[in-house]
Amino acid sequence: CGTGNMTEFLAAKGYDMIGLDSSCDMLDAAMEKKSISGHDILYLNQDMREFELYGTVAAVVSICDSLNYITKYEELVTVFKLVNNYLDPKGIFIFDMNMEAKFKTINDAVIAENREEASFIWENTYYEAEHINEYELTIFARCDDEKYEKLTEIHYERAYSLEEIKAALQEAGMTFVASYNAFTRQPPDKNSERIYIVAQENGKQTA
């Protein structure tokens, strides 16, 4: 769920929401938004590779390339199996993923941005043989005393092909439904930098 933007958006549309994240900082930001909106959202501090719910749900949504952070194919299958397990019969799974075309585009690129509360430098390196992109993020955050604190994070994302994603879904027992070039209803191609995928629960019997 990250900082809760999508969770809040869907809650405002009338959906009963559960937000899941492994980062306490992300959940703190999400809880602050919840306290302002008053939406009845359950937030859980869990790793998606071993998450547990209290029952099944109609849909699972994962965006902002969260699944690219699963850098081992076997662990991606594990996540998909858990999703399938916690979906209602024929429940829907919607997620996005960055594709190799994006990582090749930003390889060796340095992105810098100066914002009111913080500035950041974002350096990218794509290791094509391993299909791994390394993000080195340096943040200068303004403190209460108007001084700036320097923070450094390193992130790793893996590029999966659509064929690998379909295979992982099938191995997890899910049914692949469709894939789209991001923010369109057009099918992805070799130049797609981000895609959305729709899959469906398979195996449970309706009551």
Side-chain angles (χ1 to χ4, degrees):
C1 65
T3 61
N5 287 343
M6 182 56 69
T7 321
E8 285 285 342
F9 175 80
L10 292 172
K13 296 293 183 180
Y15 292 100
D16 294 326
M17 298 303 299
I18 301 170
L20 172 74
D21 207 287
S22 62
S23 167
C24 292
D25 290 338
M26 293 288 188
L27 291 173
D28 286 344
M31 290 293 290
E32 185 174 349
K33 292 172 184 173
K34 171 185 171 179
S35 68
I36 295 171
S37 70
H39 290 139
D40 185 16
I41 302 170
L42 172 64
Y43 282 111
L44 301 174
N45 181 209
Q46 295 184 358
D47 188 312
M48 71 170 75
R49 293 167 293 186
E50 51 189 17
F51 76 89
E52 297 180 0
L53 300 180
Y54 303 108
T56 57
V57 293
V60 173
V61 178
S62 176
I63 61 168
C64 296
D65 49 272
S66 297
L67 285 163
N68 288 102
Y69 283 88
I70 306 299
T71 57
K72 296 180 180 179
Y73 176 84
E74 297 78 11
E75 292 185 348
L76 186 67
V77 173
T78 296
V79 174
F80 289 168
K81 285 181 177 178
L82 287 169
V83 171
N84 196 47
N85 180 59
Y86 287 111
L87 280 173
D88 291 341
K90 304 303 178 185
I92 294 296
F93 181 31
I94 301 171
F95 61 98
D96 71 349
M97 294 191 85
N98 284 329
M99 304 304 286
E100 187 170 53
K102 176 177 180 177
F103 295 133
K104 286 183 175 180
T105 298
I106 63 175
N107 184 33
D108 293 328
V110 178
I111 302 169
E113 188 170 326
N114 185 24
R115 299 182 181 180
E116 183 176 348
E117 297 300 325
S119 303
F120 68 83
I121 302 170
W122 180 17
E123 300 176 78
N124 300 271
T125 304
Y126 181 55
Y127 302 98
E128 189 169 350
E130 295 83 8
H131 304 290
I132 296 294
N133 191 75
E134 179 183 281
Y135 299 97
E136 184 170 344
L137 182 63
T138 303
I139 303 170
F140 298 90
R142 187 166 65 183
C143 304
D144 292 337
D145 59 3
E146 298 301 316
K147 294 181 179 179
Y148 283 80
E149 179 182 9
K150 180 182 177 181
L151 307 169
T152 301
E153 298 179 355
I154 298 179
H155 298 246
Y156 297 94
E157 290 194 10
R158 175 171 170 175
Y160 291 94
S161 67
L162 182 55
E163 290 71 25
E164 287 178 306
I165 297 167
K166 288 180 178 179
L169 287 168
Q170 183 177 18
E171 193 172 337
M174 300 198 77
T175 301
F176 171 82
V177 177
S179 58
Y180 303 100
N181 202 25
F183 315 119
T184 76
R185 291 295 181 91
Q186 302 302 314
D189 57 37
K190 65 179 182 179
N191 298 315
S192 298
E193 295 191 357
R194 180 190 295 268
I195 66 172
Y196 279 82
I197 297 145
V198 182
Q200 192 170 39
E201 187 279 336
N202 186 32
K204 297 189 186 78
Q205 299 296 319
T206 56

